Amino acid sequence: IVAHADDRLSAALRFIRANFQNRINVDDVLRHVAVGRRTLFNKFRAALGRTPLAEIQRLRLERACDLLKDTDLPLRQVATLAGYADRHRMLCTFRKRLGMTPERFRSRGG
């Protein structure tokens, strides 16, 4: 559920949540809410403490973690379903954000 006093911020968050797995980027969000880049970034920082891109990346990582915990899907498919461009991009994100590979994450049970 996305609720916020700022209608454009709410619209941006809804769009991101509905589309993060489709490999969207910040420009797609900007087109959807018809607001300037600086304005959108300021709204995100004030409300969430992160940028629109960081929110997209957070949701992708969260989805990948859920898929790794709950399925036996191959890593390539997990990456695609989570919105990553490829398996390597997901691997880099896991190493940077979690300090481990997706394989290690899965073997530890999340």
Side-chain angles (χ1 to χ4, degrees), residues 67 73-82:
L67 289 168
L73 294 171
L75 293 181
R76 180 176 292 137
Q77 194 171 0
V78 169
T80 299
L81 292 172

Side-chain angles (χ1 to χ4, degrees), residues 28-95:
D28 296 320
V29 179
L30 291 168
R31 279 190 293 277
H32 180 75
V33 297
V35 68
R37 182 175 297 272
R38 183 178 301 242
T39 300
L40 185 66
F41 273 63
N42 288 341
K43 289 176 185 291
F44 265 76
R45 286 223 186 262
L48 304 174
R50 58 185 166 265
T51 66
L53 179 59
E55 179 65 6
I56 293 168
Q57 292 170 336
R58 184 188 72 78
L59 290 170
R60 285 181 179 153
L61 181 61
E62 183 178 282
R63 177 71 173 140
C65 288
D66 288 344
L67 289 168
L68 290 168
K69 284 189 289 188
D70 300 336
T71 72
D72 291 327
L73 294 171
L75 293 181
R76 180 176 292 137
Q77 194 171 0
V78 169
T80 299
L81 292 172
Y84 290 100
D86 53 44
R87 183 178 160 272
H88 178 73
R89 186 75 52 119
M90 183 176 75
L91 173 69
C92 291
T93 300
F94 266 74
R95 283 188 175 148

Side-chain angles (χ1 to χ4, degrees), residues 1-17 43-44 46-48 50 55 58:
I1 296 174
V2 178
H4 197 276
D6 187 301
D7 291 340
R8 292 232 168 113
L9 177 60
S10 292
L13 287 168
R14 280 192 305 274
F15 179 79
I16 290 169
R17 288 181 193 275
K43 289 176 185 291
F44 265 76
L48 304 174
R50 58 185 166 265
E55 179 65 6
R58 184 188 72 78

